Amino acid sequence: MIQKDPQQPDLYSVSDKTRTKPLIQLFILFIAIILIVSGEAGVRSLLGLGFSFLVIFKIVLPQIVMGSNPITVALMASSLILMVSYYLTHGINQKSTIAILGTLGALIVTGILASIFATASHLSGFGAEETAFLLDKLPVSSFYNLLLAGFIIGSLGVLDDITISQASIVAELSEANKKLGMYELYIRAMRIGHDHISSLVNTLVLVYAGSALPLLLIFITSDVSTVSLLNYESVAEEIVRTLVGSIGLVTAVPFTTLIASYHFGTKR
């Protein structure tokens, strides 16, 4: 990539390498593997993925830049994404509807906690390096709003798996033993949910840790005390993101299981 010097029109410099070709190849490989392995379900999931990006770029980001409440915008956009992606991927049925309700409940908890602890931790949204490229394009308040919206939308993908699984578990338990009432369905499904929580929380933490490895290396290589490092905004931001997302993930299990147990248990 060649960049022209604004001060000297005849002077050019190499700014970076072109990476378009391998990125396109990787994207094509990604689509091909999904279609080969998943077939029709893969087509539906890709359509849901495309719709999610459309909502984020056409609704979420413009509204936040205009000064709208980030939590309200993120929750409304998440509701729209949930309904389209869940029904596309899993079909229009009772389990999908229950999973959507359970996910929305967990997202509300995530949004409230994100707002409380981001404010209490005095996070400004400038913890990430890429915010420097937006300083002349966005008002200062937008960075904090983007941070909160990112907390909510970031946990949305993981919630998809756990809520639809819990709804399916309750439905299958109800079908296998039609004598089970709401309470018995809830207790049995939560036994499975406990294992689900353990594995997914570990997965979520590892995902965040993998994306923040340079920050984690600071703890090992820096001469600054751990307490001082924890007070750096870039570190505190990742900690709040991880813990808030994990709490939202944990609450999704009892929310979804309770709704599903009520529906399938009292239906008879």
Side-chain angles (χ1 to χ4, degrees), residues 25-68:
Q25 291 172 340
L26 180 59
F27 181 68
I28 293 173
L29 179 63
F30 165 72
I31 293 177
I33 290 178
I34 288 180
L35 294 179
I36 292 171
V37 175
S38 302
E40 183 182 347
V43 175
R44 294 198 301 269
S45 65
L46 288 173
L47 290 174
L49 178 64
F51 181 79
S52 299
F53 276 104
L54 183 66
V55 171
I56 291 172
F57 281 98
K58 295 297 183 180
I59 298 178
V60 176
L61 296 178
Q63 287 296 318
I64 291 176
V65 170
M66 291 170 59
S68 301

Side-chain angles (χ1 to χ4, degrees), residues 2-266:
I2 306 299
Q3 186 175 10
K4 187 176 182 179
D5 192 321
Q7 304 297 329
Q8 303 182 43
D10 296 332
L11 184 61
Y12 295 83
S13 61
V14 177
S15 60
D16 212 330
K17 295 183 178 294
T18 55
R19 301 179 175 90
T20 310
K21 185 177 179 179
L23 292 177
I24 293 176
Q25 291 172 340
L26 180 59
F27 181 68
I28 293 173
L29 179 63
F30 165 72
I31 293 177
I33 290 178
I34 288 180
L35 294 179
I36 292 171
V37 175
S38 302
E40 183 182 347
V43 175
R44 294 198 301 269
S45 65
L46 288 173
L47 290 174
L49 178 64
F51 181 79
S52 299
F53 276 104
L54 183 66
V55 171
I56 291 172
F57 281 98
K58 295 297 183 180
I59 298 178
V60 176
L61 296 178
Q63 287 296 318
I64 291 176
V65 170
M66 291 170 59
S68 301
N69 185 290
I71 295 180
T72 303
V73 172
L75 287 176
M76 291 179 64
S78 297
S79 302
L80 187 59
I81 291 172
L82 281 174
M83 286 188 288
V84 173
S85 63
Y86 272 56
Y87 288 139
L88 262 178
T89 306
H90 307 293
I92 302 176
N93 51 53
Q94 297 171 340
K95 290 186 293 185
S96 296
T97 303
I98 291 170
I100 289 172
L101 294 175
T103 302
L104 285 176
L107 287 177
I108 291 172
V109 172
T110 302
I112 293 173
L113 291 177
S115 180
I116 292 173
F117 286 97
T119 301
S121 303
H122 302 288
L123 299 181
S124 63
F126 290 98
E129 292 183 0
E130 57 268 21
T131 56
F133 297 100
L134 299 171
L135 286 174
D136 59 339
K137 302 180 185 299
L138 298 177
V140 175
S141 60
S142 296
F143 293 96
Y144 176 76
N145 295 340
L146 284 170
L147 178 67
L148 293 183
F151 285 171
I152 298 173
I153 295 175
S155 61
L156 182 60
V158 185
L159 290 172
D160 182 347
D161 175 58
I162 197 166
T163 53
I164 197 68
S165 297
Q166 284 303 115
S168 297
I169 288 167
V170 176
E172 290 301 320
L173 287 173
S174 174
E175 186 65 27
N177 188 349
K178 298 185 182 297
K179 295 181 180 180
L180 295 176
M182 173 183 170
Y183 177 75
E184 291 173 308
L185 283 174
Y186 180 81
I187 294 299
R188 296 191 180 202
M190 281 302 296
R191 290 174 186 163
I192 304 173
H194 292 158
D195 294 331
H196 210 172
I197 288 172
S198 301
S199 60
L200 281 176
V201 166
N202 186 49
T203 299
L204 186 64
V205 171
L206 289 177
V207 168
Y208 285 136
S211 63
L213 279 180
L215 288 177
L216 297 179
L217 284 174
I218 295 176
F219 284 90
I220 300 176
T221 59
S222 177
D223 295 329
V224 182
S225 67
T226 301
V227 175
S228 298
L229 287 172
L230 290 175
N231 285 284
Y232 289 157
E233 181 166 358
S234 56
V235 177
E237 185 178 302
E238 293 302 324
I239 293 174
V240 173
R241 188 195 310 276
T242 302
L243 296 180
V244 165
S246 298
I247 292 172
L249 179 66
V250 171
T251 57
V253 174
F255 280 167
T256 308
T257 307
L258 183 62
I259 296 170
S261 300
Y262 175 79
H263 175 76
F264 291 107
T266 59

